[in-house]
Amino acid sequence: LKSAASVLESRLRQRDTASLTMALRFERCGKYATVKEGGLVVQKTGTIDSGYGMALTSRCLRTSEVFEVEVISLSYKWLTIGITTWRPEDVKMRNDVLMTQFIHQLTPAWMLECSTYFGGDVKVNGRTVQKVLSGGEVTALKAGDSLALTVIPEGELRFFLNGKRLGTGWATTTEAVYGFIELLGYRGDSVRLIPDLREEDRHLAICNKMIQTRGNITITLLHG
């Protein structure tokens, strides 16, 4: 039997081989989310009770790739990070895309919701499956704090706060997944994507050795 990692990588290659070489960036998927600085920063533009502050990654996450964001400003202390099988282009094609208020409406989705009022909850499709912490850093995020996640080869999802692992691991899916963040607070709240440079270097090394055969033509992919 194939491992979850090999199945995921296979599906990634089948879906869009070219996208695997792309640097990870954000794409706007909420009407009150603005993507800036070439896709590295997401900023909330709506009011506190509006929601709609979603952004997805521009491509699938690679196996073991770390998806990490650093808080620039978070006045309302309410931020969600997670993964979903929805692609940005599919979300944008929905007729009600600008009316999709919260990310868990786009199921399936696995997420960590950090809030001053509700604590740190791990949720699947909007339902709490574990309360990670009821107090401390996870409920009082500030500028400079980082939230991260990764899906290890066995398919287990792990969350991190400032490099420290939170809770246990959660089973997800062997399908290709995209990272997302959701800013649920005030206008001006924003986060910055922190590229996983180690994963980028590893993947580029693999791509440099990759050989594609099309008909009688063999193409060697070179990068850098």
Side-chain angles (χ1 to χ4, degrees), residues 27-29 56-59 86-93 178:
E27 286 195 27
R28 169 182 175 266
C29 291
L56 272 68
T57 56
S58 56
R59 62 160 171 78
W86 281 79
R87 299 182 300 173
E89 53 266 40
D90 293 336
V91 174
K92 292 175 182 179
M93 287 177 63
Y178 291 74

Side-chain angles (χ1 to χ4, degrees), residues 83-86 94 100 102-111 124-127:
I83 56 173
T84 180
T85 57
W86 281 79
R94 287 172 55 109
T100 302
F102 302 112
I103 192 69
H104 66 251
Q105 293 174 261
L106 302 177
T107 59
W110 298 259
M111 66 200 78
V124 178
N125 300 334
R127 300 185 64 177

Side-chain angles (χ1 to χ4, degrees), residues 72-210:
I72 298 175
S73 173
L74 200 66
S75 55
Y76 192 58
K77 316 298 183 189
W78 198 351
L79 173 65
T80 299
I81 186 172
I83 56 173
T84 180
T85 57
W86 281 79
R87 299 182 300 173
E89 53 266 40
D90 293 336
V91 174
K92 292 175 182 179
M93 287 177 63
R94 287 172 55 109
N95 292 330
D96 61 341
V97 59
L98 296 184
M99 297 305 294
T100 302
Q101 188 168 9
F102 302 112
I103 192 69
H104 66 251
Q105 293 174 261
L106 302 177
T107 59
W110 298 259
M111 66 200 78
L112 171 64
E113 183 178 272
C114 301
S115 165
T116 299
Y117 296 99
F118 303 108
D121 292 345
V122 175
K123 296 184 175 183
V124 178
N125 300 334
R127 300 185 64 177
T128 299
V129 295
Q130 183 176 351
K131 185 170 286 295
V132 178
L133 290 172
S134 58
E137 291 178 294
V138 75
T139 60
L141 296 174
K142 60 185 183 303
D145 285 341
S146 68
L147 278 179
L149 63 81
T150 189
V151 179
I152 64 173
E154 292 74 19
E156 180 182 275
L157 172 64
R158 296 178 177 179
F159 292 105
F160 301 85
L161 171 63
N162 294 327
K164 180 181 179 181
R165 186 174 170 184
L166 297 174
T168 57
W170 293 271
T172 55
T173 177
T174 55
E175 292 187 54
V177 293
Y178 291 74
F180 70 79
I181 61 96
E182 187 173 24
L183 292 164
L184 292 160
Y186 291 113
R187 178 181 303 176
D189 284 355
S190 57
V191 297
R192 179 183 300 277
L193 179 65
I194 306 299
D196 185 352
L197 298 180
R198 291 175 300 178
E199 170 60 19
E200 290 296 323
D201 290 343
R202 183 191 73 83
H203 188 74
L204 286 176
I206 293 174
C207 288
N208 285 336
K209 299 177 182 179
M210 185 185 298

